[in-house]
Amino acid sequence: MKHILVIRLSAMGDVAMTVPVIRSLIQQHTDVKVTVVSRPFFKPFFDDMDRVDFFGVDLENRHKGFFGIYRLYQHLKKLKIDFVADFHNVLRSKILRTFFKSNGTKTAFTDKGRKEKKELTRLEKKVLKPVKPMVERHVDTLESLGFKVDLSKIVFPERSVLADEILAVTAEKSINKWIGIAPFAQYQTKVYPTELMQKVILDLSANQNHKIFLFGGKNELNSLKNLQQNLENVILVANKLTFKQELQFIPHLDVMLSMDSGNAHIAAMYGIKVVTLWGNTHPFAGFVPFNQPLENSLIPDLEKYPFLPTSVYGNKIVTGYQDVMQSITPEEVVAKISTNLYE
């Protein structure tokens, strides 16, 4: 059995994007086992996979700094690792893979395409063309280690029966179409305006065959309640289900509407249809949710906002570009969701 160590420390969306890659690897190479090194919070992503172990890293304390990374290496080398795939390729992961390499272990790392992304996001002499998606870059990393992976052959896990604790929030699914909506993102430049999202939810909820579930964090509860608008078929999932329960529930959705955020990638890793809304970022930057057609990525009016995208992650504010998402109409969003529900 060949043992591959996969390093992907953060963040949520980035870790979720590794899931279909690792799932495909395990399915297509029965002589391989994998140990994923990441933050403990992300362990549930990998719980349903055979021959995949998880090692939770403590970057704030035990594994902090150079000596902490060396301590992590000392733990991991006991697992008899044959290959190291560094999907993160930052200073900490570079140090860790260097320890393995110095011990004779074959290593490889993911090229993030920083040069192409810089050309895509610069304001002048912009090169508006797609860079290779991150999932494909991870496949390249595995191939350089000798493991070919065909993402088109992935078999998604079967939906589990929902536990009573989840059904207490969601109720049983009958003839309803279940729509998940994750209306927030890390940066405000990637968040659809509240009044427009309220219109989307109002229009979708007018169809009594639709049941809408709102996702978000504890600090977003008040905003989510405002979006709920006291509509009977709009349910708050936030703060009612644990993260692990959300992962069990999401595969039962018919479609997920998300910003350019982790929820899009979580839904996609289960094979759920995903519609994404993009603000100052852009699907060409390589973060389109896995296995989703490009037409499911709705972007602002590029003629009106020619500098888009202005950044890869949405953390750069350009004067006059704060309201670019206003040019994505609620009618356009509702139509795209309906197409995915009923096509």
Side-chain angles (χ1 to χ4, degrees):
M1 187 71 69
K2 300 168 185 175
H3 194 173
I4 304 175
L5 184 74
V6 173
I7 308 168
R8 194 52 174 110
L9 304 178
S10 62
M12 183 180 290
D14 295 319
V15 179
M17 278 187 284
T18 70
V19 172
V21 178
I22 295 172
R23 191 182 301 282
S24 298
L25 170 68
I26 289 296
Q27 289 173 352
Q28 295 165 28
H29 295 272
T30 56
D31 61 339
V32 164
K33 69 174 291 186
V34 172
T35 293
V36 177
V37 178
S38 191
R39 295 180 183 271
F41 183 78
F42 302 126
K43 181 181 181 299
F45 283 170
F46 306 94
D47 282 350
D48 70 338
M49 289 191 228
D50 294 331
R51 291 179 283 118
V52 176
D53 295 326
F54 187 90
F55 191 99
V57 65
D58 181 7
L59 295 173
E60 282 71 40
N61 296 292
R62 186 165 178 75
H63 303 131
K64 182 178 181 180
F66 179 85
F67 293 105
I69 297 297
Y70 182 71
R71 185 179 295 114
L72 174 61
Y73 164 70
Q74 293 287 80
H75 284 300
L76 293 172
K77 75 174 183 178
K78 297 175 184 176
L79 303 179
K80 299 182 179 179
I81 302 297
D82 300 302
F83 304 89
V84 173
D86 180 2
F87 285 0
H88 203 168
N89 197 20
V90 294
L91 180 59
R92 285 179 295 209
S93 63
K94 288 177 182 178
I95 294 171
L96 181 57
R97 78 168 188 255
T98 299
F99 286 139
F100 277 101
K101 188 173 183 178
S102 65
N103 197 36
T105 304
K106 188 172 182 179
T107 67
F109 62 89
T110 295
D111 175 4
K112 294 184 176 180
R114 290 186 174 92
K115 178 178 179 293
E116 299 98 305
K117 290 174 182 177
K118 185 175 181 180
E119 292 173 348
L120 176 67
T121 57
R122 65 193 180 194
L123 302 186
E124 296 180 356
K125 298 181 180 179
K126 184 183 294 292
V127 180
L128 189 62
K129 67 178 183 180
V131 304
K132 178 178 284 191
M134 287 305 300
V135 289
E136 294 181 19
R137 292 175 182 272
H138 295 329
V139 167
D140 291 345
T141 302
L142 292 174
E143 186 168 344
S144 69
L145 293 174
F147 301 94
K148 287 186 176 294
V149 173
D150 186 345
L151 294 174
S152 70
K153 295 181 179 178
I154 189 172
V155 179
F156 292 105
E158 293 185 6
R159 296 172 178 173
S160 60
V161 176
L162 292 178
D164 290 342
E165 294 82 2
I166 300 175
L167 290 174
V169 176
T170 66
E172 292 278 1
K173 188 173 187 179
S174 53
I175 62 170
N176 304 85
K177 293 288 188 179
W178 281 11
I179 305 166
I181 297 182
F184 301 110
Q186 182 179 4
Y187 298 107
Q188 194 61 35
T189 64
K190 301 197 293 184
V191 177
Y192 198 50
T194 299
E195 66 277 9
L196 300 186
M197 183 58 79
Q198 283 180 323
K199 181 70 164 57
V200 168
I201 293 172
L202 196 62
D203 287 356
L204 289 172
S205 66
N207 186 332
Q208 292 304 305
N209 190 38
H210 292 166
K211 200 166 187 180
I212 301 161
F213 299 91
L214 302 182
F215 292 79
K218 290 181 180 179
N219 59 329
E220 295 157 346
L221 278 177
N222 288 336
S223 298
L224 287 168
K225 287 177 181 176
N226 289 334
L227 287 174
Q228 186 183 22
Q229 303 169 83
N230 294 317
L231 297 166
E232 288 187 5
N233 55 342
V234 180
I235 311 298
L236 259 66
V237 172
N239 207 36
K240 293 183 179 179
L241 299 180
T242 66
F243 180 57
K244 191 165 186 175
Q245 288 173 332
E246 284 191 6
L247 295 185
Q248 293 167 352
F249 169 60
I250 286 174
H252 291 261
L253 296 174
D254 294 291
V255 65
M256 170 71 87
L257 171 65
S258 175
M259 309 300 103
D260 169 21
S261 70
N263 284 286
H265 300 292
I266 292 173
M269 76 186 196
Y270 290 115
I272 302 305
K273 295 178 180 180
V274 181
V275 174
T276 43
L277 306 184
W278 301 74
N280 281 238
T281 57
H282 196 284
F284 279 8
F287 298 105
V288 173
F290 173 68
N291 206 34
Q292 305 296 319
L294 189 59
E295 55 264 29
N296 275 6
S297 298
L298 303 183
I299 63 173
D301 185 342
L302 294 185
E303 290 189 6
K304 187 175 181 181
Y305 300 103
F307 289 154
L308 291 176
T310 60
S311 70
V312 172
Y313 303 109
N315 54 345
K316 182 178 180 181
I317 297 176
V318 174
T319 302
Y321 277 59
Q322 295 89 334
D323 299 319
V324 298
M325 294 184 92
Q326 295 274 1
S327 64
I328 304 174
T329 68
E331 292 77 16
E332 184 181 3
V333 178
V334 171
K336 183 59 66 176
I337 291 172
S338 298
T339 298
N340 279 270
L341 283 176
Y342 299 104
E343 65 181 2

